Amino acid sequence: MIEFHNLKKSFSGREVLKGITFTIGEGEIIFVLGTSGTGKSVLLKNLVGLLQPDSGEIYIDGERVDGKSEEEYLPVRRKCGMVFQHPALFDSMTVFENVAFGLRKHFNLPEDEVVKRVHESLALVRLENVDQKMPQELSYGMQKRVSLARTVAIRPKILLFDEPTTGLDPITTNAVNKLIYDLSRELNVTSVVVSHDMHCALDIADRIIVLDQGLVVAQGTPSEMKNSAVPLVVDFLAEVDSAY
Amino acid sequence: MGRKTLQGINSIFIDRNSLKTKTYQRSAAKIVGPAPAFCDHICMYVVKLKNVSIQLDDFCLKNVNFELDPGESLVLIGPSGQGKTVLLKIIAGLLQPNTGQVIVAGLDIYKATPAEREMMLYKVGMLFQKNALFDSLTCYENIAFPLREVKKVDEVTIRQKVEKFLDAVGLLHAIHLFPHEISGGMQKRLGIARALALDPEIVLYDDPTAGLDPITSRKIAAMILELQKKNNSANIIVTNEMSRAYQLATYIGMVIEGELVLTGSPAETRQNTDPRVKQFIHGQLSGPLQQ
């Protein structure tokens, strides 16, 4: 489904990605873990064409996507739904309008279809009777759900999450994590989650990729990770234990 | 922490009575200038809140009580929007409660005169959640700023202090860089150095590791503990990360449904039987707390 081959990217002479190679299968939930500044977000931006790699190749559904022009990239980007760390909702629009925004802007759908999709998407994130509320009337956790509904409304094949649980309290963290799992399975989409949170990864990931200083230093299933001797993985696992 | 508010640690309280008396004398001796709002029976603690209540538009805090000694840390946990930051602002002298008494560094701060309160504020350092650094000033200038504003000392002394604090947080090499030129973790450390620049007796940390990866987060918490030990300061720390709460706390309090539930030491908190506390610290989706 998604393949990275020896991906390299530098900024002002500083090499952030030093040769990343891994693949993601269709329908998988993949967590990309690593410390700050290790290239996780740069990897996501390369995937959606917001950055171009210096060298290496990226394939989505067998099609090489790196090096495409902005116009050529649009159909690729429509396969991808991005969920930002913060809800990033339009605060002057109702929940309904927020979720409908992308549908109206990028898809030529009749209004009754827009209404249907908005309600379906809100139901998927377990939100009811909030479509006429303004974002600021909702809790932070509910705003995150609206943000997810907005992303899934365009029916992406790939969901990309940029640190979806960073800064959340333990209950909201687990709620968002469960939602990522439920949505990925219900919609049968491929999910790539960039995160610091090993606990969440162990809970729902099919596989975990660990980046350190621009390289993949470990990858495997949650149970394989639990037995890893890679120092960074051991440090991450110690954090999981210390929270209980 | 007082026996009235936290029954689970009575034994610790009693064992340490003699230490508390010494602490009080040391603490009181450090307070400068006339202080008519001092109360002998209450300045035993470096921070004490007695029956503090506040009503804001969308929520309230009722009857908050706790006491904190030098060298101790109270970590505040709890769901977002329940009042953790409001509590910090009350202690920092930024938000007056409707009722109750707030004693900081021996001063009943909301009964004190503006001049007295200003003196008290010099004893309090605060790290804001988003650091609140001056983005047009270098790391050096960010730390020098409060020293110039408050201490009125010469530039040689300022340079010595700035270098000392930057060294303490491992940022001496970044002395001439601007905040946008350093990483999020470095910005946090700079914010901490600035909060500590005036040698505060009390340091308030609003989510000091928010948004950081767990490895950096653990290192910053270790640094906070080290600096606290060195200065014997009292820390009040807001965090949502339970691993940080356990690492940093002498005591933990959960701000929930308008009250402060003191849950004791990290070990006692892990064993706490309040269903709200259990649900929160284990992140359980079902329980009395609504998402």
Side-chain angles (χ1 to χ4, degrees):
Chain A
M1 175 82 190
I2 302 170
E3 298 170 48
F4 296 101
H5 289 298
N6 203 23
L7 206 68
K8 293 185 180 177
K9 180 70 183 173
S10 296
F11 296 96
S12 309
R14 183 175 160 254
E15 206 174 16
V16 176
L17 301 181
K18 298 177 180 170
I20 299 284
T21 301
F22 68 92
T23 60
I24 299 171
E26 188 159 356
E28 273 195 310
I29 300 174
I30 294 287
F31 269 64
V32 180
L33 293 186
T35 54
S36 303
T38 202
K40 303 185 301 292
S41 295
V42 171
L43 189 71
L44 271 196
K45 285 181 181 169
N46 274 279
L47 181 63
V48 294
L50 294 174
L51 286 173
Q52 286 295 331
D54 298 333
S55 64
E57 296 155 23
I58 304 171
Y59 294 88
I60 296 179
D61 285 337
E63 179 190 4
R64 184 164 177 183
V65 297
D66 59 281
K68 281 181 183 286
S69 68
E70 189 68 14
E71 198 173 296
E72 290 169 335
Y73 220 104
L74 277 180
V76 179
R77 227 172 255 159
R78 283 198 184 135
K79 290 183 185 177
C80 303
M82 180 91 180
V83 183
F84 299 99
Q85 182 178 347
H86 299 293
L89 300 175
F90 299 111
D91 57 8
S92 59
M93 294 182 187
T94 63
V95 166
F96 181 92
E97 287 164 341
N98 264 283
V99 180
F101 186 84
L103 293 171
R104 288 178 175 152
K105 182 136 179 92
H106 297 296
F107 298 84
N108 193 21
L109 296 174
E111 189 58 20
D112 57 347
E113 179 62 19
V114 170
V115 172
K116 187 170 160 244
R117 283 241 207 142
V118 169
H119 287 139
E120 275 174 10
S121 305
L122 287 171
L124 273 169
V125 298
R126 325 282 186 253
L127 280 178
E128 287 171 5
N129 305 321
V130 297
D131 50 336
Q132 292 312 311
K133 286 190 185 290
M134 303 301 280
Q136 57 271 28
E137 294 179 86
L138 305 178
S139 70
Y140 190 78
M142 289 168 89
Q143 289 181 27
K144 295 274 285 192
R145 286 170 187 268
V146 176
S147 161
L148 264 167
R150 185 173 62 180
T151 303
V152 300
I154 60 167
R155 307 238 170 109
K157 288 183 72 180
I158 302 165
L159 281 174
L160 307 170
F161 297 89
D162 192 4
E163 301 194 10
T165 58
T166 296
L168 300 182
D169 66 59
I171 298 174
T172 314
T173 293
N174 284 341
V176 169
N177 211 40
K178 183 175 184 304
L179 197 57
I180 292 171
Y181 180 83
D182 290 347
L183 278 178
S184 304
R185 294 296 186 246
E186 278 178 44
L187 299 172
N188 196 27
V189 294
T190 304
S191 290
V192 183
V193 186
V194 160
S195 176
H196 295 142
D197 197 329
M198 180 61 98
H199 162 75
C200 288
L202 293 175
D203 216 20
I204 67 164
D206 293 313
R207 281 189 306 127
I208 299 166
I209 312 285
V210 181
L211 298 190
D212 191 18
Q213 296 178 40
L215 289 168
V216 175
V217 294
Q219 57 178 307
T221 62
S223 53
E224 284 165 343
M225 279 295 148
K226 283 178 188 167
N227 297 312
S228 172
V230 174
L232 184 62
V233 179
V234 172
D235 277 351
F236 270 105
L237 290 169
E239 273 301 301
V240 177
D241 292 339
S242 69
Y244 292 94
Chain B
M1 189 71 65
R3 69 191 91 186
K4 287 176 189 168
T5 51
L6 196 58
Q7 294 176 355
I9 57 161
N10 270 351
S11 58
I12 297 172
F13 184 92
I14 292 160
D15 290 346
R16 295 176 56 194
N17 261 351
S18 56
L19 183 65
K20 270 184 183 289
T21 308
K22 279 181 200 165
T23 299
Y24 160 53
Q25 287 165 349
R26 186 198 65 82
S27 199
K30 282 171 76 177
I31 296 163
V32 291
F38 280 22
C39 298
D40 284 346
H41 66 292
I42 48 179
C43 61
M44 191 166 174
Y45 309 98
V46 71
V47 180
K48 173 170 177 165
L49 269 67
K50 191 176 176 189
N51 298 328
V52 168
S53 296
I54 188 167
Q55 174 74 54
L56 296 173
D57 288 345
D58 48 355
F59 84 106
C60 64
L61 279 174
K62 289 167 290 185
N63 282 325
V64 173
N65 289 282
F66 73 84
E67 295 139 358
L68 202 63
D69 276 349
E72 291 182 339
S73 290
L74 172 66
V75 170
L76 300 173
I77 59 171
S80 302
Q82 299 278 322
K84 302 187 293 293
T85 299
V86 165
L87 203 46
L88 277 196
K89 286 184 178 170
I90 289 172
I91 298 160
L94 300 172
L95 195 58
Q96 183 162 6
N98 300 110
T99 56
Q101 204 173 22
V102 181
I103 314 292
V104 178
L107 190 71
D108 186 337
I109 58 173
Y110 293 105
K111 284 188 182 155
T113 64
E116 289 163 353
R117 196 189 306 184
E118 192 178 339
M119 290 303 296
M120 179 283 295
L121 289 177
Y122 296 159
K123 298 171 193 296
V124 179
M126 181 148 185
L127 175 76
F128 295 92
Q129 192 171 3
K130 291 179 181 164
N131 308 319
L133 299 169
F134 299 111
D135 55 9
S136 60
L137 301 181
T138 61
C139 293
Y140 180 95
E141 294 294 337
N142 262 284
I143 299 179
F145 185 85
L147 296 170
R148 288 196 185 115
E149 287 292 307
V150 174
K151 293 275 186 183
K152 315 286 185 202
V153 288
D154 62 81
E155 281 300 314
V156 175
T157 310
I158 287 175
R159 170 160 287 279
Q160 284 169 349
K161 284 210 92 170
V162 170
E163 287 179 355
K164 180 185 131 189
F165 280 103
L166 282 177
D167 192 32
V169 298
L171 283 180
L172 203 48
H173 65 285
I175 191 164
H176 298 305
L177 296 181
F178 288 92
H180 71 269
E181 294 178 300
I182 59 180
S183 72
M186 290 164 83
Q187 288 177 12
K188 278 282 171 206
R189 285 188 274 152
L190 179 59
I192 291 169
R194 191 180 61 179
L196 298 178
L198 295 174
D199 299 317
E201 290 178 33
I202 299 127
V203 193
L204 310 175
Y205 293 95
D206 194 356
D207 225 344
T209 57
L212 301 179
D213 67 74
I215 315 294
T216 310
S217 167
R218 190 193 301 165
K219 282 181 189 161
I220 294 224
M223 193 189 74
I224 288 172
L225 288 173
E226 197 183 312
L227 293 170
Q228 178 185 27
K229 200 171 168 188
K230 201 185 278 180
N231 302 332
N232 198 34
S233 57
N235 288 350
I236 301 177
I237 303 162
V238 166
T239 185
N240 269 331
E241 296 172 61
M242 288 315 299
S243 38
R244 292 295 77 74
Y246 295 140
Q247 185 183 359
L248 286 164
T250 313
Y251 311 110
I252 293 175
M254 182 163 156
V255 181
I256 185 73
E257 295 173 337
E259 58 175 317
L260 175 66
V261 179
L262 293 164
T263 58
S265 67
E268 288 166 332
T269 301
R270 285 182 167 104
Q271 303 300 322
N272 194 287
T273 53
D274 184 323
R276 298 171 301 174
V277 175
K278 279 173 77 173
Q279 185 189 353
F280 184 83
I281 66 175
H282 295 296
Q284 293 159 351
L285 299 184
S286 55
L289 301 179
Q290 298 291 313
Q291 283 170 47

